[in-house]
Amino acid sequence: MADSEMTAIVCRAPKDYRVERVQRPSAARNELVIRIAACGICASDCKCWSGAKMFWGGPNPWVKAPVIPGHEFFGYVEELGEGAQEHFGVQKGDRVIAEQIVPCAKCRYCKSGEYWMCEVHNIFGFQREVADGGMAEYMRFPPTAIVHKIPDGISLEDAAIIEPLACAIHTVNRGDIQLSDVVVIAGAGPLGLMMTQVAHLKTPKKLVVIDLVEERLALAREYGADITINPKTDDALETIRSITDRYGCDVYIETTGAPAGVTQGLELIRKLGRFVEFSVFGADTTVDWSIIGDRKELDVRGAHLGPYCYPIAIDLLARGLVTSKGIVTHGFTLEEWDEAIAVANSLDSIKVLLKPK
């Protein structure tokens, strides 16, 4: 029957993503099926599409194709399996989102509340063992999914950035920003621009954003950056030294996805500073690690996913303290996938959404 199928993007191999008709998911006990309203294309989706080693390399590649990609999704509850209404606390028609990771609920990290570091580490859109992703008309939430309701007052575009905004909040929190801090955010892509908005709410002494694209730096200033730096025309090191009595910044958040963002940060940050690494890299990064210990004794912190931050993201959007305006730049249907990934993989866009018909 026609209604037993749906349109979806199917990842089969690097640069082999196809628009296909596939079986529509159904909900078993304690499961949901949602009708997708929108699904963003993440920088990690672009790197996965292009064949980056971290997704496809090694004996146990992270991506297990074929799989429907997409982890920046939200939608409407379409079907409730037996017990799912009580299990998730939702009803048919509710607008909902699930966190991007599907915890196993059994490993040491899940049992200790550190579920975002789950040892099994199934993430929607990369492995089909638990569930496909959101680049489709419908998707299934398994029983261990972490589900949140989205208030009606939040726009489609704002709802579509809840997942990356949660990641941005977690990253900024990892920086432990203080009122006296000079904070540098390197990279003004979608995540960097959301981090700028969140870091501005922390009211540091100075908030600095670095990027190579002037239009993105202009947005960063709108979002609260005190100073913006374009390394093509500005001397980043001299600028940071001039506002820090020559010491360097207190917090450096790396979200460029380029190795140069790491080496730049190690130069700009002061001794005993806090270096937060968020990016997913498409190439190896090589640095002189002695600067971390012997020369500066840095506090280097990773930031992964958005644990415990989805409710905060939803609240900030509901209160109008963070916005997608200026960040969400393009929308395409599933059938327009080839154009969508090309635009998402270019500097012509910031955030691209897929919107099923």
Side-chain angles (χ1 to χ4, degrees):
M1 295 175 60
D3 61 1
S4 68
E5 294 185 343
M6 67 174 182
T7 300
I9 310 301
V10 180
C11 161
R12 295 191 172 275
K15 297 187 179 179
D16 184 5
Y17 285 47
R18 308 175 192 177
V19 181
E20 298 185 8
R21 294 292 291 177
V22 302
Q23 186 71 29
R24 177 173 157 177
S26 58
R29 179 173 175 79
N30 287 343
E31 292 186 343
L32 296 179
V33 170
I34 69 166
R35 173 173 55 85
I36 296 293
C39 183
I41 300 178
C42 177
S44 64
D45 292 316
C46 293
K47 289 184 171 70
C48 185
W49 174 85
S50 66
K53 183 174 67 174
M54 74 158 288
F55 296 100
W56 299 97
N60 295 301
W62 194 20
V63 180
K64 296 178 176 63
V67 64
I68 298 171
H71 56 274
E72 295 185 0
F73 53 80
F74 81 96
Y76 299 88
V77 175
E78 181 78 9
E79 179 188 347
L80 292 143
E82 181 186 355
Q85 181 172 327
E86 296 76 19
H87 182 70
F88 289 115
V90 300
Q91 298 180 358
K92 186 172 181 179
D94 283 350
R95 198 161 59 147
V96 297
I97 187 171
E99 297 195 17
Q100 67 280 79
I101 192 166
V102 185
C104 73
K106 297 177 181 178
C107 72
R108 65 179 292 180
Y109 302 108
C110 289
K111 288 183 175 179
S112 65
E114 298 161 328
Y115 66 91
W116 70 102
M117 298 306 297
C118 172
E119 188 68 13
V120 180
H121 217 75
N122 282 312
I123 292 181
F124 285 111
F126 293 103
Q127 310 94 7
R128 180 168 276 180
E129 289 93 333
V130 174
D132 281 310
M135 294 186 188
E137 292 181 281
Y138 299 89
M139 71 178 291
R140 177 179 62 88
F141 291 176
T144 57
I146 304 172
V147 177
H148 305 277
K149 288 197 279 190
I150 303 172
D152 291 337
I154 295 178
S155 70
L156 181 146
E157 290 77 15
D158 280 356
I161 69 164
I162 291 171
E163 187 275 344
L165 178 56
C167 294
I169 293 166
H170 179 55
T171 303
V172 170
N173 284 343
R174 292 285 284 161
D176 191 24
I177 293 172
Q178 304 297 310
L179 296 173
S180 59
D181 284 340
V182 172
V183 178
V184 173
I185 296 174
L191 266 298
L193 290 170
M194 292 180 216
M195 291 176 194
T196 300
Q197 296 183 67
V198 175
H200 176 63
L201 295 175
K202 298 279 189 177
T203 63
K205 181 179 180 181
K206 291 290 182 186
L207 178 57
V208 183
V209 176
I210 303 177
D211 200 89
L212 296 169
V213 181
E214 284 297 333
E215 293 79 5
R216 297 184 177 192
L217 293 176
L219 268 178
R221 291 191 292 272
E222 288 184 27
Y223 294 152
D226 300 298
I227 298 170
T228 56
I229 297 172
N230 187 331
K232 290 189 294 188
T233 56
D234 306 322
D235 186 332
L237 180 60
E238 182 55 36
T239 301
I240 297 303
R241 285 180 172 173
S242 70
I243 62 172
T244 59
D245 294 328
R246 318 301 295 179
Y247 287 108
C249 64
D250 303 282
V251 179
Y252 182 90
I253 297 175
E254 200 292 308
T255 185
T256 67
V262 176
T263 52
Q264 170 186 258
L266 293 175
E267 183 178 40
L268 297 185
I269 199 166
R270 67 169 173 85
K271 296 176 182 178
L272 302 174
R274 300 182 296 286
F275 189 116
V276 184
E277 181 55 67
F278 174 80
S279 290
V280 174
F281 292 94
D284 292 343
T285 299
T286 302
V287 298
D288 177 4
W289 270 50
S290 60
I291 194 172
I292 296 171
D294 186 59
R295 290 171 55 194
K296 289 191 174 181
E297 196 174 325
L298 298 177
D299 190 351
V300 179
R301 305 178 179 186
H304 181 57
L305 306 184
Y308 301 106
C309 292
Y310 278 66
I312 301 171
I314 291 168
D315 178 65
L316 292 179
L317 291 166
R319 289 193 285 154
L321 295 175
V322 175
T323 181
S324 64
K325 187 177 180 180
I327 293 176
V328 174
T329 55
H330 293 76
F332 295 94
T333 65
L334 295 170
E335 290 79 5
E336 295 170 321
W337 164 257
D338 289 338
E339 184 180 359
I341 188 63
V343 171
N345 211 22
S346 74
L347 291 177
D348 295 331
S349 67
I350 298 179
K351 173 58 65 181
V352 173
L353 302 183
L354 292 173
K355 303 174 185 178
K357 291 179 181 178

